[in-house]
Structure formats: C-alpha cells, structure tokens
Amino acid sequence: MLEDGTAPPEPVTIERVCNGRPIPEGYTDSKGRFSFELGRNQSLMQDAAYGSATDDPFSQSPGLGNQTRASSTRPGMGGASLGGRDLMGCELRAVLPGFRSEVVNLSGRRMFDNPDVGTIILRRLANVEGTTISAVALLAPKDAKKSLDKAREYLKKKKGDEAFKELEKAVQIYPKYSTAWFELGRLHEGQNRKEEARKAYAEALAADPKYVSPYLQMASMAFKEQKWEEVAGTTDRIIKLDPVDYRDAYFYNAVACYYLKKFDAAEKSAREVQKMDPRGQIPMARNLLGAILIEKQDYAGAAEQVKEYLKMIQPGAEADRAKKTLEQLEKALNPQAKAEQ
C-alpha cells in the first residue's frame, strides 16, 4: 500500500531481488494484494529489461517440483519445500515509478514457514514530480472506474472490441479520465491506429500533464518513426518529471540528440543510461556512447566503450563491425602504428 494507507490505484510489479538481480514475480490486484509461487510466472520473465531467467534457481523447468509460495493475503499456509535451494541474499520489493519500496528480507526462510510476507509500503520520492498514477484519475466516479476495470479484464482475455466499448464508456462518463484515455491509446496503438492513439494520449495529458505513461508511449512511437525532434522533446519532458526511474527515456533521448547533432546532450543522457544499467542489460548504450565520443573526437573514450560493448554481445556481424571500429580507433590513437602499415 501507499504510505497514506491506501492501495495503489494501478497494478504494481512485485520483484524478487537475489544478490542484486531483479526478477519479476507478479502483479498486485485492485486492492494491492499479491500471491505467487517463486519462478512460476514465465510471461513476466520474458521482459527484456530483466534479462534471462535461465540461471534463476527458482525458475520453472522440468524436474524442479514444488515451488515456494509468497503471499500478502494468505496467512497460516505452509510453504512448499525449497528442494535444496535457499533464499540467502534475496528480498521482495514493489516497483512503481516515482516511489521507493520497503523491502521484505527473504533470507532464512525455510520449508513450512508462513508465506505471508506482510505489507510492503511505497513511499513517494520527494524529487519526482511525475507519476504513473494519475491524480486526476483518482477522482473518477464509480461507474467510470467500473468500466475501466471491465476493460482491463477484457484486455487480459484479448477481447479488444469489448474493451474498446468499456473504455469509450469510461471517458464519456468522465471526460478527464486520464487512465482510461491512456488505455484507449494503447488499444489503438496495438491495432496500428496511430493517429487515434496519439489523440487518446493527448487527451490523457490534457487531463493530467504530470501523468508520465502517455509520454512514454508517445516517445516510443516517435522513436520507431525516427521523428528525432519529437523524441527529444518528449523524453526531455519525461526526464524532467521523473529523473530517476526511466532508463529507456534517457536512451531514446541520447539517440535522438545524436541524430540531431547535439552531442553534449547525447553524451549526458547516454552516461545516465549506463549509471542505471550496471548489469549491462542494454549493450547498445555502450555502442551509442562510443559513436557520440567519436563525434566529439574523444577516441580513447570511444575505444573504451566499444571494448565494453564487444564483451556484452555475441560473435556475429554486429561484433565484426564493432571490431573494425575499434581497429580504426586504435590506429587513430597510435599514429606510429598507422604509419608503419
């Protein structure tokens, strides 16, 4: 729950973090409750932001048998056997941009322990203006909220037409329903109705200019279409609203600024991506920073970035191109070797 005692109005991801590695486990329901068995939600683990789950000892695979249950709603139930695995160095946390989560330490938990992990509190960050929870949406009347809930259930069942009708109903009841406009935009976007999607996102932002989620979708659409001025402007807005949570916004901003030849701004954003990506889950960020530094004639810095990039990628055409770039940089840094050749 939020620190004022209310449940988050949007679904929140629950992560298990083991030795610094985050692994998504499930989502909360409309009342903030969650229940899951460790490593069982494979659809969540496919998210590229989390990397591969193959080295997770709790991931579902043949022969693992029973899993360990974690819950915030079912006190008194016995947990399954850990099967030789333990939770040393592991903790649970909730993930909601603009907030920081308390953590639940899982170290020391054993077979038949009570799986109820209690309540995880989310505290608002003082230096973050934007949020994925729209304040305007909280004022929606009950009937509008009911239509949005129905639409989300239809979306889970891949019933787009039914979801569309409920979302249209929700915004008719409450024209400033920013969250419903956002969901309507995503539905249009998913069905390749780009202009309708943009209009819906614009309605969401007109209702609540500090609502970050529509900006993210608009930045992603502009990025795919290589509209670099739009990408730069939209991601600048995201970063201003929330400078701590959105790694992708910094990456999009760095790419856009690179193509706009704003190399100082591009470098600043690319370095922020690296700070937010200590495990190297976005290798392209290293390659991008290398390209930016080449434009700034910092060949030593560029060579360092390309070397890091090569460590992160598999052999192939992309690696071969990076090796050629590195060879050229090393020649530029060693004029004597260049002359001898």
Side-chain angles (χ1 to χ4, degrees):
M1 62 177 61
L2 305 182
E3 56 188 323
D4 64 1
T6 60
E10 304 293 331
V12 174
T13 303
I14 305 296
E15 286 182 344
R16 169 169 49 93
V17 184
C18 292
N19 300 313
R21 178 168 179 253
I23 300 162
E25 290 284 7
Y27 294 112
T28 58
D29 64 14
S30 61
K31 294 184 179 180
R33 301 173 300 189
F34 61 86
S35 183
F36 55 80
E37 291 182 73
L38 298 181
R40 294 295 290 270
N41 198 332
Q42 296 300 298
S43 61
L44 269 175
M45 291 187 181
Q46 300 306 313
D47 191 330
Y50 291 97
S52 172
T54 55
D55 58 340
D56 175 19
F58 294 94
S59 63
Q60 186 179 29
S61 60
L64 277 183
N66 290 332
Q67 310 294 315
T68 302
R69 177 176 292 279
S71 169
S72 68
T73 60
R74 303 185 182 185
M77 293 178 60
S81 169
L82 291 180
R85 292 155 290 159
D86 62 47
L87 290 163
M88 290 300 295
C90 294
E91 59 190 23
L92 285 183
R93 69 184 181 193
V95 180
L96 184 63
F99 292 79
R100 279 296 171 264
S101 170
E102 290 184 349
V103 298
V104 176
N105 188 357
L106 299 179
S107 296
R109 283 186 173 262
R110 294 293 181 266
M111 177 173 51
F112 302 125
D113 283 354
N114 186 339
D116 185 358
V117 297
T119 301
I120 300 175
I121 303 296
L122 286 160
R123 303 187 187 281
R124 190 83 164 95
L125 290 172
N127 63 331
V128 173
E129 187 180 357
T131 178
T132 54
I133 297 175
S134 174
V136 176
L138 299 177
L139 303 175
K142 191 176 294 185
D143 288 348
K145 290 180 179 179
K146 187 175 180 181
S147 289
L148 177 59
D149 288 340
K150 283 184 180 179
R152 284 173 167 165
E153 287 301 315
Y154 282 132
L155 288 170
K156 287 179 183 177
K157 297 173 184 177
K158 302 188 184 303
K159 296 182 177 181
D161 292 342
E162 290 88 341
F164 182 81
K165 290 176 183 177
E166 291 297 335
L167 290 170
E168 286 279 302
K169 183 178 178 182
V171 296
Q172 286 172 5
I173 296 170
Y174 183 49
K176 290 187 176 182
Y177 205 169
S178 47
T179 307
W181 280 115
F182 171 67
E183 294 293 353
L184 195 56
R186 288 209 302 177
L187 186 57
H188 280 308
E189 187 181 348
Q191 296 180 1
N192 206 32
R193 297 192 292 264
K194 296 178 181 178
E195 289 309 310
E196 289 87 344
R198 285 190 173 91
K199 288 177 183 177
Y201 294 143
E203 290 285 353
L205 292 172
D208 187 353
K210 294 183 180 180
Y211 185 27
V212 175
S213 299
Y215 287 115
L216 290 166
Q217 293 300 122
M218 293 172 78
S220 177
M221 290 176 68
F223 187 87
K224 291 172 185 175
E225 295 169 359
Q226 299 184 11
K227 296 178 178 179
W228 303 125
E229 288 283 1
E230 184 179 338
V231 173
T234 305
T235 51
D236 278 342
R237 181 62 177 157
I238 295 168
I239 292 165
K240 183 178 179 181
L241 287 170
D242 186 343
V244 298
D245 286 304
Y246 294 106
R247 185 178 61 186
D248 286 353
Y250 281 107
F251 181 75
Y252 288 165
N253 187 268
V255 173
C257 289
Y258 172 79
Y259 283 113
L260 294 170
K261 301 188 183 302
K262 299 177 180 178
F263 299 120
D264 287 342
E267 180 183 355
K268 182 178 178 182
S269 289
R271 291 196 184 280
E272 285 296 327
V273 176
Q274 292 195 8
K275 287 180 188 176
M276 300 170 75
D277 183 34
R279 297 182 61 244
Q281 294 171 332
I282 307 182
M284 186 57 68
R286 272 68 179 175
N287 195 41
L288 172 61
L289 183 52
I292 293 166
L293 294 176
I294 288 172
E295 294 292 340
K296 297 182 72 174
Q297 298 184 0
D298 179 0
Y299 300 132
E304 181 181 340
Q305 293 298 321
V306 176
K307 286 176 184 176
E308 288 297 315
Y309 178 58
L310 282 166
K311 291 177 185 177
M312 297 174 180
I313 62 174
Q314 298 295 322
E318 182 59 33
D320 291 341
R321 282 192 290 270
K323 286 176 183 176
K324 288 181 180 178
T325 300
L326 183 58
E327 287 174 4
Q328 292 170 348
L329 287 168
E330 289 175 340
K331 287 178 183 178
L333 289 166
N334 192 343
Q336 182 177 352
K338 183 177 180 182
E340 289 174 355
Q341 290 184 357

